[in-house]
Amino acid sequence: MKINIYYGGRGLIDDPTLYVINKMQDILDELHVTVERFNLYELKNSITTLPQTLKTADGIILASTVEWYGIGGFMQQFLDACWLYGDKEKIAKIYMCPIVMSTTYGELEGKLNLSIAWEILGGLPCSGFCGYITDASILEDNVDYLRIIEKKAENLYRTINQKLPSFPASNQAVKQMVSITKNIDLTPQESEQLSHYASDDVYVQRQKEDIQELTSLFRDMMYNNDQNEEEKYTADFLKYFKPQAGFRAVYKLNIDNQKKPVIIEISGTACDVTYSEKAFEQIDVEMGIDGETLDEIVLGRMTFQRAFMTSKMKMKGDFKTLRTLDLLFDFTSASEG
């Protein structure tokens, strides 16, 4: 027979739970039980791998100390790991004895929480015990308390040895009906490998760095894509620009699904085409157009005036200045080429 002890306290010298589990271990040794102890505070970086240690256990003792509220973080992490990575078929055959000592308040709730958690996991709870002990020396000097610990150890041994049955628990039934936690469809070997990865700080850190690198890569790709979008029409307008002597005007072209409008500034023989949200004192013509129609214009298959007349483009400003836009940019040569 093998019994594992999982201690979830902080390992303080005056922790009454330590005294109890030490006595339990001594008694179980006298009964020729193989006992293996796991101090969770010493194994905090590998708690997620500990459910694999349940495979060889016939029974376990979950021992924790309530110092201010609840069973403590280490024990909760261990139970979480059992839920995520534990072999539920094996857990269903393991008896568990809860031991909770309190130096403040809440030992009864702590013991109950351990029992409920083990039942939800599918395991078999045994009768444990709890107590309010402000000083570990109280346990050492009290023969009656020692007798209680001995009886509990013997009962645990007897329960596991005789494989005493227990009634079904409603916690398991409720869990099956309302649990929204998805089961991880992995073999025990895959679960073990996954739990090792989860507890490997170097591996986790490397994964975080990889995620950051990918995030940076995609951000750069999106930025470059935006840059390419902004350069898409600039070269076309500059390539097909035909100066009109003495003509000056500012056009604003709002393209659907593009963040910034195209600003076209004409000053005689000079032409400046930029994507900008800068405010201008005067916009002579403001247009709204979709990318597909603008592509037709740039390819020489349509003019700005025709797009407006067919309601494919909206405009605000001087219509004569709009007509001049087709003279300034002779895209018809693009279709001929």
Side-chain angles (χ1 to χ4, degrees):
M1 182 189 298
K2 183 182 178 184
I3 294 178
N4 291 349
I5 300 177
Y6 299 91
Y7 167 65
R10 294 189 295 146
L12 303 178
I13 296 177
D14 58 348
D15 187 344
T17 306
L18 280 176
Y19 175 84
V20 173
I21 59 177
N22 286 336
K23 288 297 180 183
M24 292 276 288
Q25 185 167 354
D26 291 341
I27 297 166
L28 291 172
D29 287 337
E30 294 176 2
L31 296 170
H32 305 292
V33 174
T34 301
V35 179
E36 187 172 4
R37 184 148 137 198
F38 300 90
N39 295 323
L40 301 185
Y41 70 93
E42 295 176 345
L43 304 167
K44 57 186 177 181
N45 293 326
S46 58
I47 286 180
T48 51
T49 66
L50 291 183
Q52 306 309 319
T53 62
L54 296 170
K55 291 181 177 181
T56 58
D58 300 296
I60 66 171
I61 295 173
L62 296 183
S64 189
T65 306
V66 178
E67 294 184 86
W68 76 282
Y69 182 79
I71 58 176
F74 295 137
M75 183 60 70
Q76 188 63 56
Q77 287 182 53
F78 173 69
L79 292 170
D80 288 344
C82 289
W83 176 254
L84 293 172
Y85 307 117
D87 184 346
K88 302 300 191 301
E89 292 184 5
K90 176 59 181 175
I91 290 176
K93 302 175 183 178
I94 299 177
Y95 292 88
M96 187 278 295
C97 174
I99 297 176
V100 177
M101 295 289 113
S102 171
T103 59
T104 172
Y105 170 81
E107 69 283 354
L108 186 59
E109 290 83 353
K111 171 178 169 289
L112 183 60
N113 287 340
L114 289 178
S115 297
I116 292 174
W118 196 249
E119 285 182 343
I120 292 177
L121 285 167
L124 303 168
C126 296
S127 173
F129 62 100
C130 59
Y132 168 65
I133 305 294
T134 57
D135 189 343
S137 61
I138 298 175
L139 292 171
E140 299 174 6
D141 300 334
N142 194 305
V143 178
D144 293 330
Y145 291 162
L146 179 58
R147 188 175 297 111
I148 293 174
I149 296 172
E150 291 176 348
K151 286 293 183 182
K152 289 296 180 180
E154 292 171 359
N155 288 339
L156 176 61
Y157 172 81
R158 189 178 300 108
T159 299
I160 297 174
N161 188 50
Q162 298 179 5
K163 298 187 183 301
L164 296 179
S166 59
F167 282 107
S170 61
N171 293 321
Q172 297 179 14
V174 170
K175 182 261 297 186
Q176 293 170 359
M177 289 187 291
V178 303
S179 174
I180 60 174
T181 304
K182 295 182 178 180
N183 291 327
I184 302 177
D185 190 16
L186 299 173
T187 65
Q189 293 77 14
E190 290 171 333
S191 294
E192 182 173 5
Q193 185 178 23
L194 180 61
S195 64
H196 277 293
Y197 284 145
S199 65
D200 187 340
D201 290 340
V202 176
Y203 175 81
V204 171
Q205 183 60 33
R206 186 165 63 249
Q207 293 299 303
K208 290 181 179 179
E209 292 173 356
D210 289 344
I211 291 173
Q212 290 176 352
E213 184 176 348
L214 286 172
T215 302
S216 177
L217 175 63
F218 282 117
R219 187 186 300 115
D220 292 341
M221 290 174 63
M222 292 177 65
Y223 175 77
N224 292 334
N225 185 60
D226 290 342
Q227 291 292 96
N228 293 336
E229 285 294 323
E230 291 190 359
E231 296 172 359
K232 182 176 181 180
Y233 299 109
T234 304
D236 292 319
F237 278 103
L238 294 176
K239 179 179 179 181
Y240 295 100
F241 175 59
K242 303 295 182 182
Q244 303 294 312
F247 181 79
R248 295 174 180 274
V250 177
Y251 298 88
K252 182 178 181 181
L253 192 58
N254 298 306
I255 307 171
D256 292 352
N257 300 323
Q258 288 208 7
K259 299 177 181 178
K260 298 179 182 179
V262 178
I263 303 298
I264 304 172
E265 297 181 79
I266 307 296
S267 180
T269 59
C271 175
D272 185 25
V273 183
T274 59
Y275 281 75
S276 174
E277 295 178 341
K278 182 177 68 173
F280 288 84
E281 292 183 3
Q282 181 179 354
I283 299 291
D284 297 287
V285 176
E286 183 173 355
M287 298 161 284
I289 194 170
D290 60 79
E292 184 176 349
T293 302
L294 184 57
D295 288 339
E296 290 289 305
I297 294 173
V298 171
L299 291 172
R301 299 169 184 168
M302 184 178 290
T303 63
F304 284 103
Q305 183 178 346
R306 184 182 170 193
F308 172 71
M309 297 301 291
T310 57
S311 301
K312 292 186 176 181
M313 182 182 76
K314 298 179 180 179
M315 67 86 66
K316 181 173 62 176
D318 183 55
F319 182 70
K320 183 179 179 180
T321 305
L322 173 65
R323 289 195 335 188
T324 307
L325 192 60
D326 287 319
L327 299 176
L328 291 167
F329 301 99
D330 185 15
F331 292 116
T332 55
S333 58
S335 62
E336 294 172 359

